[in-house]
Amino acid sequence: MFLKNRIVLLVTLIIFLLASCGAPQEARIVRHPEPVDYNGYNTYITAPTYNPDSDDPWQMDLRSADLTGIDFSNSLDDLYFATFDSKTIWPSPELMPDNFDWQSIIELGEDPGLGIRQLHEQGISGEGVGIAIIDQALLVDHVEYVDRVLVYEEADNISGGWRAVSMHGAAVASIAVGKTVGVAPDADLYFIASTMCNQGTYESIDFACLAENVRRIIEINKSLPEERKIRVLSMSIGWGPESKGYDEITAAVNEARDAGIFVISTSISDVYGLKFHGLGRFPLSDPNVFQSYEPGSWWQNIFYEQGLGVDTLLVPMDSRATASPTGLGDYVFYRQGGWSWCVPYLAGMYALAVQVNHDITPEEFWSTALETGQTIQIEHDGKSYSLGVILDPQALITALQE
C-alpha cells in the first residue's frame, strides 16, 4: 500500500511539473467580438471591369456582394483580379465564364506556399513558440486560430467603431498562425487589439500609444515559462523620424529586442537594417512553385523600371485567402495584398526557425534566409528579369538544423 501511494504521488508530481513547465497557459480573452456584416457594402448593377492603370486595389471588390442576375460571361480576365469572400453570392452558371473556378482560387490562396506545408508535415509548425500581434480588433473565435489565442486584450484606445472586428486583424492572425492559412499553425498567439494609434490619417498617428502596446507584450512575456516565450512581434505598420511619438516607439522596440523579441514591422529596415518585399501570383498558379511568382502588383512597375537589390527578402503577398471577419468559418480572397500581409508571414517563418534553433537571432535568421533563398527568371514585355531572393523555407530550416 505504501509503495502504491508513493507511485501515485510520483505520477501526480510528474504531471504537475509537465503542466507547469513548457505547457501553454490558460487563455485570457477579455472579449469575444461578433462577426461583422458586409451585406450591402458592395452593390453592382453591371459587371465591374478591371483597369490595370488604376492604383485602386478595390476596383474589383466583390466581398459579400449579391451578384445574382449580373452577366459575367465575358468577364473572365476581370474576375482574375477580383477580391471576394465566403458570402459573395455568384450568378447562375450560365452567367459566369466557363473557366472561372472561385473555389479553387480560395483553396490555392489558403496555402502559405513555398513548401511551408511540407515543413508542417515534418512537425515544424511553430509549436512552443510565442507570436505576438498588435493590430485591430480580432474575431477571436474564428476556426483558423481560435485554438491558438492565449491572450486577447484590448488597448485603452479601443472605443466606438474601433471595437468592431476588422478585416485586418483576422487576416494577419490567420497568416501567422492559421491552421490552414498560417505559416506557424501551432505557435501560441498573444494579440493586443489597438486603433494602431490611427485617428483618421497617417499624419495624426501618435506612436507613443503603440509603444505602450509593445511594452504590454514585454510584460506578458515576463510571466511566460522560458520554453514558451514570445519570440516575435508582428506589427503591420511603420514609422520614421518625422513621426509623432518616434522616440517612444523606438525605445519600446529596443526594450523588446533586449527581451529577446524580434519586432517585425514595415519599419524593419530602420530598426534592424533588413529589407523585404511582397510577391504577386496569378490566382490559379501553384503557390508552392517558385516560378509562379512575380513582383507584387502594387510595385511591379517600379521593379521593371529600377530592379531590386539582392539584399531584399521576398515573401508571398498577393492572391492570399485569409480568415474573414464576416463569420467564424468564413474566408476571404485578397487579389492584391500589401506589406501588411508580409509582416505576419515573416513572423510565422521566424517562429518555425526558433522551433528548430532556439538560440537563433534575427540577424542570423535573416542572413541565412538570404543565403538559402531562390532567384528566378521572369519574362515581361519581351525582356528577361532576375527576381530574387525568394524565401525558401525548406532550405532555410535545413541550414538552421545543420
Side-chain angles (χ1 to χ4, degrees):
M1 188 66 168
F2 175 76
L3 179 60
K4 181 179 179 181
N5 289 341
R6 290 286 299 271
I7 293 174
V8 171
L9 180 61
L10 180 60
V11 171
T12 302
L13 179 60
I14 292 173
I15 293 174
F16 172 78
L17 291 174
L18 289 174
S20 60
C21 183
Q25 71 213 58
E26 182 179 352
R28 302 199 310 271
I29 312 296
V30 300
R31 188 168 67 95
H32 294 262
E34 295 294 320
V36 294
D37 185 3
Y38 285 164
N39 184 35
Y41 180 76
N42 290 305
T43 58
Y44 296 96
I45 299 176
T46 60
T49 58
Y50 175 74
N51 178 8
D53 296 324
S54 172
D55 293 330
D56 179 11
W58 303 106
Q59 55 182 307
M60 290 294 296
D61 186 2
L62 308 181
R63 289 175 298 166
S64 298
D66 185 348
L67 306 175
T68 304
I70 298 179
D71 187 359
F72 282 89
S73 58
N74 295 315
S75 300
L76 180 62
D77 291 340
D78 298 303
L79 286 173
Y80 282 140
F81 290 94
T83 289
F84 54 90
D85 61 19
S86 298
K87 287 187 164 55
T88 300
I89 302 175
W90 297 97
S92 55
E94 62 270 18
L95 296 178
M96 293 291 291
D98 293 336
N99 296 328
F100 184 71
D101 186 352
W102 63 268
Q103 293 99 331
S104 293
I105 289 175
I106 283 193
E107 183 178 344
L108 288 167
E110 289 175 345
D111 191 333
L114 302 182
I116 288 283
R117 286 182 174 174
Q118 291 183 5
L119 292 175
H120 297 167
E121 293 171 358
Q122 301 167 28
I124 303 170
S125 56
E127 184 175 2
V129 183
I131 296 177
I133 294 178
I134 300 173
D135 208 277
Q136 299 173 35
L138 181 69
L139 185 60
V140 175
D141 299 314
H142 196 284
V143 295
E144 271 296 302
Y145 45 70
V146 61
D147 295 331
R148 307 318 314 159
V149 182
L150 293 187
V151 169
Y152 175 72
E153 295 182 1
E154 295 183 336
D156 293 338
N157 57 40
I158 287 282
S159 61
W162 289 103
R163 287 174 59 82
V165 298
S166 76
M167 50 77 72
H168 208 270
V172 296
S174 59
I175 290 172
V177 303
K179 65 179 183 180
T180 56
V181 175
V183 177
D186 288 328
D188 302 330
L189 178 60
Y190 301 85
F191 196 105
I192 304 293
S194 172
T195 64
M196 302 297 281
C197 315
N198 190 339
Q199 302 302 319
T201 64
Y202 181 81
E203 290 74 16
S204 69
I205 296 177
D206 184 352
F207 285 94
C209 80
L210 189 63
E212 295 177 6
N213 298 335
V214 173
R215 291 193 171 99
R216 176 56 187 150
I217 293 296
I218 297 172
E219 286 301 311
I220 293 173
N221 198 39
K222 290 178 181 178
S223 68
L224 301 179
E226 192 63 35
E227 297 82 1
R228 303 192 81 94
K229 290 290 189 183
I230 297 170
R231 294 295 302 273
V232 61
L233 168 57
S234 169
M235 297 188 294
S236 294
I237 193 172
W239 55 87
E242 76 287 349
S243 302
K244 185 178 180 181
Y246 174 77
D247 291 340
E248 289 87 345
I249 186 61
T250 299
V253 168
N254 286 333
E255 292 169 24
R257 294 178 66 174
D258 292 340
I261 301 173
F262 183 15
V263 181
I264 302 180
S265 71
T266 59
S267 289
I268 194 171
S269 60
D270 295 324
V271 177
Y272 292 90
L274 309 175
K275 299 177 183 179
F276 71 83
H277 227 321
L279 294 165
R281 180 180 60 82
F282 180 70
L284 288 175
S285 61
D286 188 340
N288 293 294
V289 175
F290 284 80
Q291 285 71 24
S292 295
Y293 291 96
E294 61 184 1
S297 56
W298 68 264
W299 66 278
Q300 61 181 229
N301 289 336
I302 299 174
F303 169 79
Y304 293 127
E305 293 175 0
Q306 303 177 10
L308 186 68
V310 295
D311 59 343
T312 300
L313 188 62
L314 299 171
V315 296
M317 178 180 69
D318 293 347
S319 296
R320 287 305 317 270
T322 75
S324 172
T326 58
L328 303 185
D330 287 356
Y331 292 83
V332 53
F333 175 78
Y334 294 110
R335 179 60 177 89
Q336 179 173 319
W339 277 1
S340 287
W341 292 182
C342 299
V343 170
Y345 196 103
L346 288 164
M349 190 64 231
Y350 189 68
L352 301 189
V354 171
Q355 182 185 351
V356 301
N357 186 338
H358 193 74
D359 297 325
I360 191 73
T361 67
E363 292 77 14
E364 291 169 342
F365 165 80
W366 209 272
S367 63
T368 307
L370 289 174
E371 291 169 2
T372 57
Q374 293 198 27
T375 299
I376 62 172
Q377 294 297 123
I378 58 176
E379 302 295 325
H380 178 75
D381 286 346
K383 297 181 180 179
S384 181
Y385 297 83
S386 179
L387 178 63
V389 178
I390 300 174
L391 172 71
D392 187 337
Q394 295 186 59
L396 169 60
I397 291 299
T398 298
L400 294 178
Q401 289 174 322
E402 293 174 350

